[in-house]
Amino acid sequence: MRLRDKTAVITGAALGIGRACAARFAAEGARVVVADIRPEEGQAVADAIEAKGGEALFVETDVRKRADNERAIDTCLDAFGRLDILFCNAGVTLPKRLPESSDEEIDRVLDVNVKALLYAARYALPIMEDQPDRGAMLFTASKTGLVAQKNSPVYCASKGAAVLLAKALALDYAEAGIRVNALCPGIIDTPMLERFAEAMPDPAAAWQAYSAAQPMGRLGTPEECADAALWLVSNEATFVTGVALPIDGGFTAM
Ligand SMILES: NC(=O)c1ccc[n+]([C@@H]2O[C@H](COP(=O)([O-])OP(=O)(O)OC[C@H]3O[C@@H](n4cnc5c(N)ncnc54)[C@H](O)[C@@H]3O)[C@@H](O)[C@H]2O)c1
C-alpha cells in the first residue's frame, strides 16, 4: 500500500499506460480520478477499481480544454479532500513528416501533449502549495522526448517540451516540496501503438519491426510503465525531481 491515503488525478486513464497506472495506483491505496475523453472505457476503469475494493471516479475530460483539466482536479478535491498526485498522461501521436501535417493536426498534438500539461499544472501548483504534504506531478513524455524518431517531428517536439516542462517546474517548486518528473516510455504495447502500426504501409511488418528494434527484442508493457510511475510519485522517491526516466528496455542507451 505504497500510496495509502493518497489521491491522484490521472489523465488518459481509459486505455493503455494510463489505465494500467490507475489500476496500480488504486491497488496501492490511492483514490483515483480517471480523467479521459472516452466515457465508456473510462467508466469501465473506475468500475473495475471499485469492484476490487478501491475508490475511483470517472470524469469525462478533454485535456485540450483548460476548464476540463480544472474540473478533473476539482472533482478530486471535492470527493477525496486533497490532490496528492497529478499525472498528466493523455497523449496523441502524429506519424507524419512536417509538410504533410495540417494546422489542425499540429494543434491537436500540441494541445493534448503540451498545453494540457501547462493548464493542469498551473491550476494544481497553488493547490499543492497550500497542502501540508505538498504533492507530486508526473508527465508522460516519451523516449522521443529524449531522442528523435523518423516521421514524427511534431510528436517529438511535443514530448521534448513535456520533458523540459517537468524539469523547469521541478526547479521552480523544489524548495516548496513539490516534485515534478517525466516518464519516458519506449515502445509499449498499447492501443496507441496498434493505431500507429495501422497507419504504416504494412502494419504487420511495422509491428514486427518495433520488437526487433528493441535491445531486449520485445515491446514494453503498460504494467512496466505503471511500476515506474508508481515509484516516481511514491514516498520512495522523495529526493527525485526533475528526472526524465526512460522505461524503454535500453532503447535510449543505443
Ligand atoms: N505506447 C507507446 O509506445 C508510447 C511510447 C511513448 C510514450 N507514450 C505516451 O504514453 C501516453 C499514453 O499512451 P498510450 O500508449 O497508453 O496511448 P493510448 O492511445 O493507448 O491511450 C491514450 C489515452 O489518452 C486519452 N486521450 C487522448 N486524447 C485525449 C484528450 N484530448 N483528452 C483526454 N484524454 C485523451 C485516450 O482516450 C486514451 O485513453 C501518451 O502520452 C503517449 O504519448 C506511449
Side-chain angles (χ1 to χ4, degrees):
M1 298 296 269
R2 289 146 78 190
L3 299 182
R4 188 194 298 278
D5 298 331
K6 301 272 190 200
T7 68
V9 171
I10 308 178
T11 71
L15 297 177
I17 294 168
R19 177 170 61 187
C21 290
R24 189 70 205 277
F25 285 18
E28 295 286 343
R31 289 165 287 166
V32 177
V33 170
V34 173
D36 203 285
I37 203 167
R38 295 173 185 257
E40 206 173 304
E41 293 95 333
Q43 187 61 54
V45 171
D47 291 347
I49 288 170
E50 297 253 325
K52 289 191 171 168
E55 274 187 76
L57 280 172
F58 170 68
V59 180
E60 189 168 339
T61 306
D62 181 344
V63 296
R64 289 172 294 185
K65 298 179 183 161
R66 179 185 54 76
D68 278 22
N69 288 283
E70 295 178 359
R71 194 174 64 241
I73 292 168
D74 285 342
T75 302
C76 186
L77 294 173
D78 293 345
F80 303 143
R82 289 196 317 274
L83 174 69
D84 295 311
I85 299 161
L86 173 67
F87 184 6
C88 298
N89 164 77
V92 290
T93 53
L94 184 59
K96 288 183 177 180
R97 287 186 175 206
L98 195 53
E100 287 87 53
S101 305
S102 69
D103 289 0
E104 292 72 23
E105 288 171 328
I106 291 172
D107 284 347
R108 179 165 175 263
V109 173
L110 296 183
D111 286 353
V112 175
N113 295 4
V114 184
K115 274 176 74 179
L117 279 51
L118 295 167
Y119 287 147
R122 185 177 64 180
Y123 193 63
L125 283 163
I127 294 168
M128 288 185 172
E129 271 189 302
D130 278 350
Q131 300 177 155
D133 291 345
R134 304 298 200 260
M137 290 190 193
L138 185 60
F139 303 150
T140 303
S142 169
K143 71 170 174 56
T144 56
L146 302 172
V147 295
Q149 77 183 15
K150 283 185 163 184
N151 298 318
S152 294
V154 183
Y155 185 69
C156 289
S158 74
K159 293 302 187 178
V163 167
L164 259 295
L165 178 62
K167 288 176 185 274
L169 292 178
L171 289 185
D172 283 350
Y173 287 88
E175 270 186 84
I178 299 170
R179 299 184 300 107
V180 189
N181 291 297
L183 193 72
C184 296
I187 304 188
I188 313 296
D189 186 352
T190 69
M192 173 185 277
L193 190 66
E194 286 166 24
R195 292 192 300 275
F196 199 84
E198 276 157 22
M200 298 296 149
D202 183 346
W207 195 263
Q208 289 274 320
Y210 297 147
S211 293
Q214 308 304 307
M216 290 189 179
R218 67 168 177 89
L219 304 177
T221 67
E223 290 72 25
E224 288 173 315
C225 294
D227 285 338
L230 170 64
W231 180 74
L232 282 170
V233 301
S234 76
N235 287 343
E236 291 164 20
T238 45
F239 204 49
V240 179
T241 195
V243 157
L245 182 65
I247 315 297
D248 66 354
F251 194 95
T252 49
M254 288 193 286

